[in-house]
Amino acid sequence: MDATDAGHVVAFYANALERACVEIPKPDGSARARGTEPRALEVRVAPGHGGPASTVTLLFDDGDLVGYEVANDDSPSSWSADRISLTLPTDALRDVRDGTATGTATVMSGRVGVDSATIWPELAELRRATLGRRFQRYLAALGGTGRDSAPPASPDTSQGTDLVAVLAAPNGADGVLSPMAIGRTRAAALLSVDLGATLVLTGGFGAQFNTTGLPHWRHCLRWLTAQGLRPDRPLVAMETRHTYDDALFLRELTDTRAIRDITLVTSDYHAQRVRYILDLILPEARVHPVAHPALDTAEEARLRAHEAHALGKTVAATVLFGPDRLITPLECSAIDAGERWRPKASR
């Protein structure tokens, strides 16, 4: 595939779509009258050198991919009157396929264009359709199964370990945990005791949650120790950067260890996006949502609005690139509290 030519990129998508479903003919208006017209997601592929753009339109109903249509600027999509439109630079697809960027990071960074930021919550409504049977065939044809290679033989889990993982939330510049981080960490620690499970602390560094000199999980461990909640058994620390990392690191752990059950503890406003990512790459895991009754109403509304946008962007990344993959291999090392997983340092 010539990833610099819009026509070749659209042909790449069209080939994957053809293997998953059939091209839908021009609408005749009857579907709209019945209220059954599929929702159209138009992907406009823009070449980096300024040549002509081409378009592929994916059509969804409530539960799956139902068809597609290919058009160019001279023959616009017949479904474009009622559609969500994304603009994909060809170099963005190249970077994801080359492994220099993840699909979600590409969308989150703004490299994928949209008509209006208000469409992200609308895209979030397509999440169930991107878990459908035809859409999964499309992902397989796209090469985006979510795994870099065939997974290793599953370890015998009959004598395996249960995990309870707490997903990172912000801490201050002084390392003090936010109310969301405290709520999640307390709930996960207590649940791990109830279940006899190993506690997993996540969170490394990131502008959105931790800009201190220590990884977020260290601040959580310090808080647990001060509260008398530090587990007696060794724990697992994962220096993750975001929600997708949390799921990918945990999947890596399940590929190499005998793990029976996994529960991810997060805030209730975050749980839907976590569940979606897990359905893509770690469907056997469970989500344990935590409410924050003391959270200010305006702040909770802001967080829920942020999540609606983030979920929509995650859905867009799935459509365009498939589930995220680990770009950098992980390494595991012993620490005073148990073991630590983090990306391998480049040499």
Side-chain angles (χ1 to χ4, degrees), residues 124-184:
E125 296 174 4
L126 296 179
R127 65 189 182 279
R128 283 185 290 273
T130 61
L131 300 172
R133 179 175 53 85
R134 290 190 198 93
F135 189 83
Q136 292 304 307
R137 287 207 303 262
Y138 157 74
L139 286 185
L142 203 64
T145 61
R147 291 188 181 271
D148 301 294
S149 58
S154 298
D156 178 12
T157 61
S158 60
Q159 301 298 318
T161 302
D162 295 339
L163 300 179
V164 172
V166 53
L167 304 195
N171 58 253
D174 54 1
V176 174
L177 299 186
S178 66
M180 291 81 76
I182 289 174
R184 296 181 191 185

Coordinates of all heavy atoms in Angstrom, one line a residue, residues 124-184:
A124 N -19.2 8.3 20.2 CA -19.3 7.4 21.3 C -20.5 6.4 21.2 O -20.5 5.3 21.7 CB -19.3 8.1 22.6
E125 N -21.6 6.9 20.6 CA -22.8 6.1 20.5 C -22.6 4.9 19.6 O -23.4 4.0 19.6 CB -23.9 7.0 20.0 CG -24.3 8.1 21.0 CD -25.4 9.0 20.5 OE1 -25.9 8.8 19.4 OE2 -25.7 10.0 21.2
L126 N -21.5 4.9 18.8 CA -21.3 3.8 17.9 C -20.5 2.7 18.5 O -20.1 1.7 17.9 CB -20.5 4.3 16.6 CG -21.2 5.3 15.7 CD1 -20.3 5.7 14.6 CD2 -22.5 4.7 15.2
R127 N -20.1 2.8 19.8 CA -19.2 1.9 20.4 C -19.8 0.4 20.4 O -19.0 -0.5 20.1 CB -19.0 2.2 21.9 CG -20.2 2.2 22.8 CD -19.9 2.8 24.2 NE -21.0 2.7 25.1 CZ -22.0 3.5 25.1 NH1 -22.1 4.5 24.2 NH2 -23.0 3.4 25.9
R128 N -21.1 0.2 20.6 CA -21.6 -1.2 20.5 C -21.5 -1.7 19.1 O -21.2 -2.9 18.9 CB -23.1 -1.2 21.0 CG -23.2 -1.1 22.5 CD -24.7 -1.2 22.9 NE -25.5 -0.1 22.5 CZ -25.6 1.0 23.2 NH1 -25.0 1.1 24.4 NH2 -26.4 2.0 22.8
A129 N -21.7 -0.9 18.1 CA -21.6 -1.4 16.7 C -20.1 -1.8 16.4 O -19.9 -2.7 15.6 CB -22.0 -0.3 15.7
T130 N -19.1 -1.2 17.0 CA -17.7 -1.6 16.7 C -17.3 -2.8 17.5 O -16.2 -3.2 17.4 CB -16.8 -0.4 17.1 OG1 -16.9 -0.1 18.5 CG2 -17.1 0.8 16.3
L131 N -18.3 -3.4 18.2 CA -18.0 -4.7 18.8 C -18.8 -5.8 18.1 O -18.7 -7.0 18.5 CB -18.4 -4.7 20.3 CG -17.7 -3.7 21.2 CD1 -18.3 -3.6 22.6 CD2 -16.2 -4.0 21.3
G132 N -19.5 -5.5 17.0 CA -20.3 -6.4 16.3 C -19.5 -7.4 15.5 O -18.3 -7.2 15.2
R133 N -20.1 -8.5 15.0 CA -19.4 -9.5 14.3 C -18.8 -9.1 13.0 O -17.7 -9.4 12.7 CB -20.4 -10.7 14.0 CG -19.9 -11.9 13.3 CD -20.9 -13.0 13.2 NE -22.2 -12.5 12.6 CZ -22.4 -12.4 11.3 NH1 -21.5 -12.7 10.4 NH2 -23.6 -11.9 10.9
R134 N -19.6 -8.3 12.2 CA -19.0 -7.8 10.9 C -17.8 -6.9 11.2 O -16.9 -6.9 10.4 CB -20.1 -7.1 10.1 CG -21.1 -8.0 9.5 CD -22.0 -7.3 8.5 NE -23.3 -8.0 8.3 CZ -24.4 -7.7 8.9 NH1 -24.4 -6.8 9.9 NH2 -25.5 -8.4 8.7
F135 N -18.0 -6.0 12.1 CA -16.9 -5.0 12.4 C -15.7 -5.8 12.9 O -14.6 -5.3 12.5 CB -17.4 -4.0 13.5 CG -16.4 -2.9 13.6 CD1 -16.4 -1.8 12.7 CD2 -15.4 -2.9 14.6 CE1 -15.4 -0.8 12.8 CE2 -14.4 -1.9 14.7 CZ -14.5 -0.8 13.8
Q136 N -15.8 -6.8 13.6 CA -14.6 -7.6 14.0 C -14.0 -8.2 12.8 O -12.7 -8.4 12.8 CB -15.0 -8.6 15.1 CG -15.4 -8.0 16.4 CD -14.4 -7.1 17.0 OE1 -13.2 -7.5 17.2 NE2 -14.8 -5.8 17.4
R137 N -14.7 -8.7 11.8 CA -14.1 -9.2 10.6 C -13.4 -8.1 9.9 O -12.3 -8.3 9.3 CB -15.2 -9.8 9.7 CG -15.8 -11.1 10.2 CD -16.3 -11.9 9.0 NE -17.3 -11.2 8.2 CZ -18.6 -11.4 8.4 NH1 -19.1 -12.2 9.3 NH2 -19.5 -10.7 7.6
Y138 N -14.0 -6.9 9.9 CA -13.3 -5.7 9.2 C -11.9 -5.5 9.9 O -10.9 -5.3 9.3 CB -14.2 -4.5 9.3 CG -13.5 -3.2 9.2 CD1 -13.0 -2.7 8.0 CD2 -13.4 -2.4 10.4 CE1 -12.4 -1.5 8.0 CE2 -12.8 -1.1 10.3 CZ -12.3 -0.7 9.1 OH -11.6 0.5 9.0
L139 N -11.9 -5.5 11.3 CA -10.7 -5.3 12.0 C -9.6 -6.3 11.7 O -8.5 -6.0 11.5 CB -10.9 -5.3 13.5 CG -11.6 -4.0 14.1 CD1 -11.7 -4.2 15.6 CD2 -10.9 -2.7 13.7
A140 N -10.1 -7.6 11.6 CA -9.2 -8.7 11.2 C -8.6 -8.4 9.9 O -7.4 -8.6 9.6 CB -9.9 -10.0 11.3
A141 N -9.4 -8.0 8.9 CA -8.9 -7.8 7.5 C -8.0 -6.5 7.5 O -7.1 -6.5 6.7 CB -10.1 -7.6 6.6
L142 N -8.3 -5.6 8.4 CA -7.5 -4.4 8.5 C -6.1 -4.7 9.0 O -5.1 -3.9 8.9 CB -8.2 -3.4 9.3 CG -7.9 -1.9 9.2 CD1 -8.2 -1.4 7.8 CD2 -8.6 -1.1 10.3
G143 N -6.0 -5.8 9.7 CA -4.8 -6.2 10.4 C -4.7 -5.6 11.8 O -3.7 -5.6 12.5
G144 N -5.9 -5.1 12.3 CA -5.9 -4.5 13.6 C -6.6 -5.4 14.6 O -7.6 -5.0 15.2
T145 N -6.1 -6.6 14.9 CA -6.7 -7.5 15.9 C -6.4 -7.0 17.3 O -7.0 -7.6 18.2 CB -6.2 -8.9 15.7 OG1 -4.7 -8.9 15.9 CG2 -6.5 -9.4 14.3
G146 N -5.4 -6.1 17.5 CA -5.1 -5.7 18.8 C -3.9 -6.4 19.4 O -3.4 -6.0 20.4
R147 N -3.5 -7.5 18.8 CA -2.3 -8.2 19.3 C -1.2 -8.0 18.2 O -1.4 -8.1 17.1 CB -2.6 -9.7 19.5 CG -3.5 -9.9 20.7 CD -3.6 -11.4 21.0 NE -4.4 -11.6 22.1 CZ -4.1 -11.7 23.4 NH1 -2.8 -11.4 23.7 NH2 -4.9 -11.9 24.4
D148 N 0.1 -7.9 18.7 CA 1.2 -7.7 17.8 C 1.5 -9.0 17.1 O 2.1 -9.0 16.1 CB 2.4 -7.2 18.6 CG 2.1 -5.9 19.3 OD1 1.9 -4.9 18.5 OD2 2.1 -5.8 20.5
S149 N 1.2 -10.1 17.7 CA 1.4 -11.4 17.2 C 0.5 -12.4 17.9 O -0.3 -12.0 18.8 CB 2.9 -11.9 17.4 OG 3.2 -11.9 18.8
A150 N 0.5 -13.7 17.4 CA -0.4 -14.6 18.1 C 0.0 -14.7 19.5 O 1.2 -14.8 19.9 CB -0.2 -16.0 17.4
P151 N -1.0 -14.7 20.4 CA -0.7 -14.8 21.9 C 0.0 -16.1 22.2 O -0.3 -17.1 21.6 CB -2.0 -14.7 22.5 CG -3.0 -15.1 21.5 CD -2.4 -14.7 20.2
P152 N 0.8 -16.2 23.2 CA 1.4 -17.4 23.7 C 0.3 -18.3 24.2 O -0.8 -17.9 24.5 CB 2.3 -17.0 24.8 CG 1.8 -15.7 25.3 CD 1.2 -15.0 24.1
A153 N 0.7 -19.6 24.4 CA -0.3 -20.5 24.9 C -0.7 -20.1 26.3 O 0.1 -19.6 27.1 CB 0.4 -21.9 25.0
S154 N -2.0 -20.1 26.6 CA -2.5 -19.6 27.9 C -1.9 -20.4 29.0 O -2.0 -21.7 29.0 CB -4.0 -19.6 27.9 OG -4.5 -18.8 26.9
P155 N -1.4 -19.8 30.1 CA -0.9 -20.5 31.2 C -2.1 -21.2 31.9 O -3.3 -20.8 31.8 CB -0.3 -19.4 32.1 CG -0.1 -18.3 31.3 CD -1.2 -18.3 30.2
D156 N -1.8 -22.3 32.6 CA -2.8 -23.0 33.4 C -3.3 -22.1 34.5 O -2.5 -21.7 35.4 CB -2.3 -24.3 34.0 CG -3.3 -25.0 34.8 OD1 -4.5 -24.7 34.8 OD2 -2.8 -26.0 35.5
T157 N -4.6 -21.7 34.5 CA -5.1 -20.7 35.5 C -5.7 -21.4 36.7 O -6.3 -20.7 37.6 CB -6.1 -19.7 34.8 OG1 -7.2 -20.5 34.3 CG2 -5.4 -18.9 33.7
S158 N -5.7 -22.7 36.7 CA -6.4 -23.4 37.8 C -5.9 -23.0 39.2 O -6.6 -23.0 40.2 CB -6.4 -24.9 37.6 OG -5.0 -25.4 37.6
Q159 N -4.6 -22.8 39.2 CA -3.9 -22.3 40.5 C -3.4 -20.9 40.3 O -2.5 -20.5 41.0 CB -2.7 -23.3 40.8 CG -3.1 -24.7 40.9 CD -4.0 -24.9 42.1 OE1 -3.8 -24.4 43.1 NE2 -5.0 -25.8 41.9
G160 N -4.1 -20.1 39.5 CA -3.7 -18.8 39.2 C -4.0 -17.8 40.3 O -4.6 -18.1 41.3
T161 N -3.6 -16.5 40.0 CA -3.8 -15.4 40.9 C -4.9 -14.5 40.4 O -5.1 -14.4 39.2 CB -2.5 -14.6 41.0 OG1 -1.4 -15.4 41.4 CG2 -2.6 -13.4 41.9
D162 N -5.7 -14.0 41.4 CA -6.6 -12.9 41.1 C -6.0 -11.6 41.2 O -5.1 -11.4 42.1 CB -7.8 -13.0 42.0 CG -8.6 -14.3 41.8 OD1 -8.5 -14.9 40.8 OD2 -9.4 -14.6 42.8
L163 N -6.3 -10.6 40.3 CA -5.8 -9.3 40.4 C -6.9 -8.3 40.6 O -8.0 -8.4 40.0 CB -5.1 -8.9 39.1 CG -3.9 -9.8 38.6 CD1 -3.4 -9.3 37.3 CD2 -2.8 -9.9 39.6
V164 N -6.6 -7.2 41.4 CA -7.4 -6.1 41.5 C -6.5 -4.9 41.2 O -5.6 -4.6 41.9 CB -8.0 -5.9 42.9 CG1 -8.7 -4.5 43.0 CG2 -9.0 -7.0 43.2
A165 N -6.8 -4.2 40.1 CA -6.0 -3.1 39.6 C -6.7 -1.8 39.8 O -7.9 -1.6 39.4 CB -5.7 -3.3 38.1
V166 N -6.1 -0.8 40.4 CA -6.6 0.5 40.5 C -6.1 1.4 39.4 O -4.9 1.5 39.2 CB -6.3 1.1 41.9 CG1 -4.8 1.1 42.3 CG2 -6.9 2.5 42.0
L167 N -6.9 2.1 38.7 CA -6.5 2.9 37.6 C -6.2 4.3 38.1 O -6.9 4.9 39.0 CB -7.6 3.0 36.5 CG -8.0 1.7 35.9 CD1 -8.8 1.9 34.6 CD2 -6.9 0.7 35.7
A168 N -5.1 4.9 37.6 CA -4.6 6.1 38.1 C -5.5 7.3 37.9 O -6.3 7.4 36.9 CB -3.3 6.5 37.4
A169 N -5.6 8.2 38.9 CA -6.3 9.5 38.8 C -5.3 10.5 39.2 O -4.2 10.2 39.8 CB -7.5 9.4 39.7
P170 N -5.6 11.8 39.0 CA -4.6 12.9 39.3 C -4.0 12.9 40.7 O -4.8 12.6 41.7 CB -5.3 14.1 38.9 CG -6.3 13.7 37.9 CD -6.8 12.4 38.4
N171 N -2.8 13.3 40.8 CA -2.2 13.8 42.1 C -1.7 15.2 41.9 O -1.4 15.6 40.8 CB -1.1 12.8 42.6 CG 0.0 12.6 41.6 OD1 0.1 11.5 41.0 ND2 0.9 13.6 41.5
G172 N -1.5 15.9 43.0 CA -1.0 17.2 42.9 C 0.5 17.3 42.7 O 1.2 16.3 42.7
A173 N 1.0 18.5 42.5 CA 2.5 18.7 42.3 C 3.3 18.3 43.5 O 4.5 18.0 43.4 CB 2.8 20.2 42.0
D174 N 2.7 18.2 44.7 CA 3.3 17.7 45.9 C 3.1 16.2 46.1 O 3.5 15.7 47.1 CB 2.8 18.5 47.1 CG 1.3 18.4 47.2 OD1 0.6 17.8 46.4 OD2 0.7 19.1 48.1
G175 N 2.5 15.5 45.2 CA 2.2 14.1 45.3 C 1.0 13.7 46.0 O 0.7 12.5 46.2
V176 N 0.2 14.7 46.6 CA -1.0 14.4 47.3 C -2.1 13.9 46.3 O -2.3 14.5 45.3 CB -1.5 15.6 48.1 CG1 -2.8 15.4 48.7 CG2 -0.4 16.0 49.1
L177 N -2.7 12.8 46.7 CA -3.7 12.2 45.8 C -5.0 13.1 45.8 O -5.4 13.7 46.8 CB -4.1 10.8 46.3 CG -3.0 9.8 46.3 CD1 -3.6 8.4 46.7 CD2 -2.2 9.7 45.0
S178 N -5.6 13.2 44.6 CA -6.9 13.8 44.4 C -8.0 13.0 45.1 O -7.7 11.8 45.4 CB -7.2 14.0 43.0 OG -7.4 12.8 42.3
P179 N -9.1 13.6 45.4 CA -10.2 12.8 45.9 C -10.6 11.6 45.0 O -10.9 10.5 45.6 CB -11.4 13.8 46.0 CG -10.7 15.1 46.1 CD -9.5 15.0 45.3
M180 N -10.5 11.7 43.7 CA -10.8 10.6 42.8 C -9.7 9.5 43.0 O -10.0 8.3 43.1 CB -10.8 11.0 41.4 CG -12.0 11.9 41.1 SD -11.7 13.6 41.5 CE -10.6 14.2 40.2
A181 N -8.4 9.8 43.1 CA -7.4 8.9 43.3 C -7.5 8.2 44.7 O -7.3 7.0 44.8 CB -6.0 9.5 43.2
I182 N -7.9 8.9 45.7 CA -8.1 8.3 47.0 C -9.2 7.3 47.0 O -9.1 6.2 47.5 CB -8.3 9.4 48.1 CG1 -7.0 10.2 48.3 CG2 -8.8 8.8 49.4 CD1 -7.2 11.4 49.2
G183 N -10.3 7.7 46.4 CA -11.5 6.9 46.3 C -11.2 5.6 45.6 O -11.6 4.5 46.1
R184 N -10.5 5.7 44.5 CA -10.2 4.5 43.7 C -9.2 3.6 44.5 O -9.4 2.4 44.6 CB -9.6 4.9 42.4 CG -10.5 5.6 41.4 CD -9.7 5.9 40.1 NE -10.4 6.9 39.3 CZ -10.0 7.2 38.1 NH1 -8.9 6.7 37.5 NH2 -10.7 8.1 37.3

